[in-house]
C-alpha cells in the first residue's frame, strides 16, 4: 500500500510541474506573438491544458475524497467555460477589427 502512495505522489507532482510548464509556455506565447488572435490562441490553449494538468495533479495529491470531487467539478466548469469565452472574445475581435484583411 505504501508504494501506491508514492506512485500517486509522484504522478501528482509531475502533473503539477507539467501544468506550471504549460503556464510558462503560455506566458511566452502571449508576449511573443504580435497579433491579438495569436495571443488569444496561446492564452486559451495554455489555460485549458495548464488548468487541466494542475487540477488533475491536485486531485491525485488530495486523494479520493469530497475535495477531489469539488476539484473535478471546477475542472469541468473551466474546461467548458474557457474555450467558449476565448472563442467569443476572438469573434468580437474579428467583427470589430477594421484593419483586418478579408
Amino acid at each position: 500500500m505504501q508504494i501506491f502512495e508514492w506512485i500517486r505522489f509522484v504522478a501528482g507532482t509531475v502533473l503539477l510541474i507539467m501544468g506550471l510548464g504549460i503556464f510558462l509556455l503560455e506566458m511566452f506565447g502571449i508576449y511573443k506573438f504580435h497579433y491579438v488572435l495569436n495571443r488569444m490562441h496561446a492564452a486559451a490553449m495554455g489555460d485549458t491544458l495548464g488548468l487541466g494538468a494542475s487540477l488533475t495533479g491536485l486531485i491525485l495529491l488530495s486523494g479520493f475524497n469530497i475535495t477531489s470531487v469539488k476539484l473535478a467539478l471546477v475542472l469541468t466548469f473551466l474546461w467548458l467555460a474557457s474555450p467558449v469565452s476565448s472563442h467569443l472574445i476572438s469573434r468580437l475581435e474579428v467583427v470589430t477589427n477594421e484593419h483586418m484583411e478579408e
Side-chain angles (χ1 to χ4, degrees):
M1 197 63 171
Q2 188 72 6
I3 192 74
F4 177 70
E5 295 293 325
W6 275 103
I7 291 172
R8 192 177 72 169
F9 175 75
V10 169
T13 305
V14 165
L15 282 170
L16 279 175
I17 292 171
M18 191 169 65
L20 179 66
I22 291 170
F23 284 134
L24 290 174
L25 283 173
E26 171 192 358
M27 286 185 353
F28 177 72
I30 289 172
Y31 289 116
K32 180 187 178 293
F33 294 130
H34 300 291
Y35 186 56
V36 70
L37 292 179
N38 293 340
R39 290 181 179 177
M40 286 291 303
H41 181 70
M45 293 301 290
D47 283 347
T48 304
L49 291 174
L51 285 171
S54 298
L55 287 177
T56 305
L58 287 175
I59 288 171
L60 285 176
L61 287 175
S62 72
F64 300 107
N65 51 21
I66 192 68
T67 305
S68 62
V69 172
K70 290 177 185 178
L71 286 171
L73 289 174
V74 168
L75 178 63
T76 304
F77 173 74
L78 290 175
W79 268 355
L80 294 174
S82 180
V84 172
S85 62
S86 297
H87 177 74
L88 290 175
I89 292 171
S90 63
R91 291 278 299 186
L92 178 69
E93 170 64 24
V94 168
V95 169
T96 59
N97 193 355
E98 298 171 357
H99 303 291
M100 182 176 254
E101 297 177 10
E102 294 184 13

